[in-house]
Amino acid sequence: MKPDRRASQATIMEVAIAAGVSLATVSRATNHPDKVKPETREKILRIIKEKGYKPNLNAKSLASSKSTTVAVVVPELTRSSIAGLVDGIADCANRRGYFVRLFVNNKLKDGDVESLKDFWSTLMASVVDGVLYINDEMTEESIELIKNSSIPVVLTNIVCSDPEIPYVSIDYYKAAYEMTKEMIKRGNKKIWMINTIRKYVVNDLKVAGYSKAMTEAGLEPIVKNVPGKTELNEPIYKELLENDKPEVAIVVRDSMAVSFINVARLLHIHIPDEIEVIGFQNTKYAELSRPKLSCIETPIYDLGEEAMDLLTKLMDIYDSDDDDNEEEVEEEIDANIYVDYNVVWRESTKNN
Amino acid sequence: MKPDRRASQATIMEVAIAAGVSLATVSRATNHPDKVKPETREKILRIIKEKGYKPNLNAKSLASSKSTTVAVVVPELTRSSIAGLVDGIADCANRRGYFVRLFVNNKLKDGDVESLKDFWSTLMASVVDGVLYINDEMTEESIELIKNSSIPVVLTNIVCSDPEIPYVSIDYYKAAYEMTKEMIKRGNKKIWMINTIRKYVVNDLKVAGYSKAMTEAGLEPIVKNVPGKTELNEPIYKELLENDKPEVAIVVRDSMAVSFINVARLLHIHIPDEIEVIGFQNTKYAELSRPKLSCIETPIYDLGEEAMDLLTKLMDIYDSDDDDNEEEVEEEIDANIYVDYNVVWRESTKNN
DNA sequence: CTGAAAGCGCTTACAG
DNA sequence: CTGAAAGCGCTTACAG
């Protein structure tokens, strides 16, 4: 006889018997402590602790139609700063007693409506109380699905044109605008914006902010689109720099900025004396680059926390919706949040 | 009257009514298709598709005592290569029809037995069919808990001394051993191993492999322990290099190797002519470094896939365990897997 | 091949 | 303050 490896968790029944009460009372002792007499409550809680009892989440969810679980939808964890985002989300979820179900869906970008709908319904069938949606490439269909969702959805690190949809993001437009203005103020006229070939909503905003500042100053916006991958963009950078040279290059991603610096140095272009380079994000790349990269720092971990925080509030509202007096509460919440960014000046810029 | 935002998924009841059959038949049509007459089956399946019906996961799990969900336990997503690992796991899980519940537990390292036990029981209460455990710092207690687990657990990217516990990893010992031997063969005698101050099982293995090769060749192993963080290790590197200089430095993490290169260059030490540098991992840092870093490449994504694959097999066994004839099946599975690594020679080494 | 019924482990009105 | 009972949405022996 080998030991029963399937020996599972203690059940509510066992606790009830040990405490000499009914299931209902055990349940109440954990869910509505005030509704049970202090002495019995304490006894129950003690036994729960002794037995290491935790309510079966599936049963609990089914019975209460609340799962204390949120879905986190990401295209890919290794993409730029998504891991940091999810760390922030997870820590906040932990603190607030939520579980997280992870959906890595790298097909989310393509506009295949069928598979998108299918994805959305498996999301709903997985029974979560809310979803954190991280995806740089929002289609019309996604937006429609989100608006019709029966549970709260918070877009994370995306700015959505539709103000009805809650989001937590960074004001990339403003960040690019302000940075460009600053570099113009410092006397630069020929400023490049280096963007990814591939379209990302977030990067489009950076380009727009940059262009605005340039136009306002009567300067011509010059946007260079290059591949995101190092091996692919280096030859392009080389070609660009052999033909022309800006005074400043603002790059949408810091790894791409480092790559740009590397190519410039290979061509004996001095950074920052000949070209100043600025990146977005401020990951470890910035610190490991030589010269060290000046950056617009996007506090991605905090952003994740904020997003989960907002989602919590929205879930609470949906909860109390069952009762009445909803409208009022809903009004109080600002569901379009911008998290502050910082500028970190390092060696790839002058006059710091 | 605002529309009911809580309008939830179609239920099995609705499908049954629409198809003019009982719940049982709908359930069978999806779970045991062969047990239902082709015509009715097709009709049911059609209706399911039309209505976009997906069984409520909680109910399904509760009724069948299978959740088709695995837990992925990580200390932190932003740590070294964990994001890539989880991407591999998630993709494989997707293909095999499993959901993933994410547990980010950055307190997992500390040996607090109480909180570890508590964590483990909430893990079990969350009702998963298996767990992928990613944690570089395994304590005795963790190992004990895993051995007593009622569901399969696969250690991912860890080598566990206890052969009873299934793991999927990379043979870091061998990788370091072989690399050191190779550099000795190339005529080097003074080879440093640069390790993290903080203890990691995986890094200890690299050090052990290195030391073995050195000792075998009658050379003295020289291990330098430095902080993992760039800002912190750079001054240490500086001090080290001002006093002494190896012919080769093998560094346990590629970001730390890049940092080492940066400091060496600052001191006008030529890489690779004066010092050859080799890192582990081969992340994007290696490619962005100047000179580009030679690396032992650890295929982390594949490792994640392999681990999930193994877990799937183990879960299948546990499943059929309920019947009989278990022993035999179990024998066939190799639950201690090493994934192959590669060596990528770049500019930080000579004679490539 | 199909349906009626019990049961998965909880929660929550409803009485008392 | 507490218990008996119904119900959450499924699955699965058990009959037929």
Side-chain angles (χ1 to χ4, degrees), chain B residues 179-222:
Chain B
M179 175 55 84
T180 308
K181 261 183 80 166
E182 170 68 19
M183 296 317 281
I184 293 170
K185 200 180 105 197
R186 291 187 183 189
N188 300 292
K189 291 196 165 10
K190 189 165 182 181
I191 303 176
W192 285 4
M193 173 59 115
I194 299 180
N195 189 16
T196 44
I197 290 181
R198 185 152 162 194
K199 278 257 175 201
Y200 293 106
V201 178
V202 157
N203 288 348
D204 287 348
L205 288 168
K206 296 172 192 170
V207 173
Y210 154 83
S211 298
K212 178 90 181 311
M214 292 298 275
T215 312
E216 278 182 5
L219 300 170
E220 186 200 356
I222 305 172

Side-chain angles (χ1 to χ4, degrees), chain A residues 201-221:
Chain A
V201 177
V202 157
N203 288 349
D204 287 348
L205 288 168
K206 297 172 192 169
V207 172
Y210 154 83
S211 298
K212 177 90 182 309
M214 290 298 273
T215 311
E216 278 181 6
L219 299 170
E220 186 199 357

Side-chain angles (χ1 to χ4, degrees), chain A residues 5-6 78 150 318 321, chain B residues 5-6 78 87 150 318 321:
Chain A
R5 290 181 308 181
R6 307 188 140 240
T78 34
S150 57
Y318 266 64
D321 256 22
Chain B
R5 288 180 309 181
R6 307 187 140 240
T78 34
D87 270 336
S150 57
Y318 267 64
D321 255 21

Side-chain angles (χ1 to χ4, degrees), chain A residues 220-264:
Chain A
E220 186 199 357
I222 305 173
V223 180
K224 306 288 185 186
N225 295 309
V226 307
K229 291 201 168 164
T230 306
E231 320 84 76
L232 299 178
N233 63 28
E234 295 199 341
I236 311 281
Y237 282 148
K238 186 145 179 276
E239 210 184 304
L240 285 175
L241 288 172
E242 278 168 347
N243 290 316
D244 198 4
K245 222 171 56 187
E247 295 166 287
V248 176
I250 302 177
V251 188
V252 293
R253 210 146 78 197
D254 62 2
S255 61
M256 291 169 61
V258 173
S259 184
F260 183 82
I261 290 177
N262 285 336
V263 173

Side-chain angles (χ1 to χ4, degrees), chain B residues 228-296:
Chain B
K229 290 200 170 170
T230 306
E231 319 85 75
L232 300 177
N233 63 28
E234 295 198 343
I236 311 281
Y237 283 148
K238 187 147 179 275
E239 209 183 306
L240 284 175
L241 287 172
E242 278 167 348
N243 290 317
D244 197 4
K245 220 171 58 187
E247 295 164 288
V248 176
I250 302 178
V251 189
V252 294
R253 209 147 76 195
D254 60 3
S255 61
M256 289 169 62
V258 172
S259 185
F260 183 82
I261 289 179
N262 284 336
V263 173
R265 292 186 70 191
L266 194 70
L267 298 174
H268 305 292
I269 298 171
H270 191 277
I271 311 288
D273 288 348
E274 292 176 80
I275 306 179
E276 297 184 78
V277 182
I278 297 155
F280 270 88
Q281 230 159 288
N282 196 31
T283 65
K284 216 168 166 181
Y285 299 118
E287 188 77 32
L288 286 174
S289 161
R290 284 305 117 96
K292 293 181 187 167
L293 184 69
S294 294
C295 272
I296 292 160

Side-chain angles (χ1 to χ4, degrees), chain B residues 5-295:
Chain B
R5 288 180 309 181
R6 307 187 140 240
S8 45
Q9 298 281 108
T11 163
I12 195 174
M13 196 48 188
E14 298 175 36
V15 175
I17 291 173
V21 295
S22 73
L23 308 187
T25 306
V26 176
S27 177
R28 272 189 293 256
T30 67
N31 297 321
H32 313 284
D34 46 302
K35 285 188 179 173
V36 38
K37 187 162 50 156
E39 301 135 59
T40 46
R41 187 209 311 151
E42 257 129 54
K43 183 173 182 190
I44 293 172
L45 260 26
R46 186 170 46 71
I47 292 177
I48 285 180
K49 200 158 209 172
E50 279 173 21
K51 296 198 175 287
Y53 165 75
K54 306 258 172 181
N56 177 309
L57 193 59
N58 285 145
K60 185 170 184 161
S61 302
L62 185 59
S64 64
S65 63
K66 289 195 51 193
S67 62
T68 59
T69 298
V70 298
V72 176
V73 180
V74 302
E76 205 177 338
L77 250 17
T78 34
R79 204 125 104 193
S80 55
S81 43
I82 291 181
L85 219 44
V86 178
D87 270 336
I89 290 168
D91 285 351
C92 183
N94 246 333
R95 280 196 301 276
R96 301 203 176 289
Y98 281 92
F99 291 88
V100 358
R101 227 179 241 291
L102 181 69
F103 292 83
V104 176
N105 193 334
N106 35 35
K107 289 167 301 174
L108 227 53
K109 53 206 172 223
D110 68 30
D112 177 359
V113 184
E114 268 319 299
S115 72
L116 190 64
K117 275 191 178 163
D118 191 68
F119 170 73
W120 204 259
S121 66
T122 84
L123 196 62
M124 291 304 110
S126 83
V127 211
V128 291
D129 296 340
V131 5
L132 258 8
Y133 200 85
I134 305 174
N135 183 10
D136 224 344
E137 300 152 283
M138 297 292 294
T139 58
E140 285 294 322
E141 291 80 26
S142 310
I143 295 181
E144 211 44 48
L145 279 168
I146 290 173
K147 285 173 85 163
N148 292 326
S149 165
S150 57
I151 52 171
V153 178
V154 172
L155 299 184
T156 309
N157 204 23
I158 327 171
V159 183
C160 187
S161 48
D162 196 320
E164 240 188 76
I165 303 183
Y167 64 79
V168 177
S169 187
I170 284 165
D171 195 342
Y172 292 106
Y173 178 90
K174 184 180 160 216
Y177 175 75
E178 296 289 354
M179 175 55 84
T180 308
K181 261 183 80 166
E182 170 68 19
M183 296 317 281
I184 293 170
K185 200 180 105 197
R186 291 187 183 189
N188 300 292
K189 291 196 165 10
K190 189 165 182 181
I191 303 176
W192 285 4
M193 173 59 115
I194 299 180
N195 189 16
T196 44
I197 290 181
R198 185 152 162 194
K199 278 257 175 201
Y200 293 106
V201 178
V202 157
N203 288 348
D204 287 348
L205 288 168
K206 296 172 192 170
V207 173
Y210 154 83
S211 298
K212 178 90 181 311
M214 292 298 275
T215 312
E216 278 182 5
L219 300 170
E220 186 200 356
I222 305 172
V223 180
K224 306 288 186 186
N225 296 310
V226 307
K229 290 200 170 170
T230 306
E231 319 85 75
L232 300 177
N233 63 28
E234 295 198 343
I236 311 281
Y237 283 148
K238 187 147 179 275
E239 209 183 306
L240 284 175
L241 287 172
E242 278 167 348
N243 290 317
D244 197 4
K245 220 171 58 187
E247 295 164 288
V248 176
I250 302 178
V251 189
V252 294
R253 209 147 76 195
D254 60 3
S255 61
M256 289 169 62
V258 172
S259 185
F260 183 82
I261 289 179
N262 284 336
V263 173
R265 292 186 70 191
L266 194 70
L267 298 174
H268 305 292
I269 298 171
H270 191 277
I271 311 288
D273 288 348
E274 292 176 80
I275 306 179
E276 297 184 78
V277 182
I278 297 155
F280 270 88
Q281 230 159 288
N282 196 31
T283 65
K284 216 168 166 181
Y285 299 118
E287 188 77 32
L288 286 174
S289 161
R290 284 305 117 96
K292 293 181 187 167
L293 184 69
S294 294
C295 272

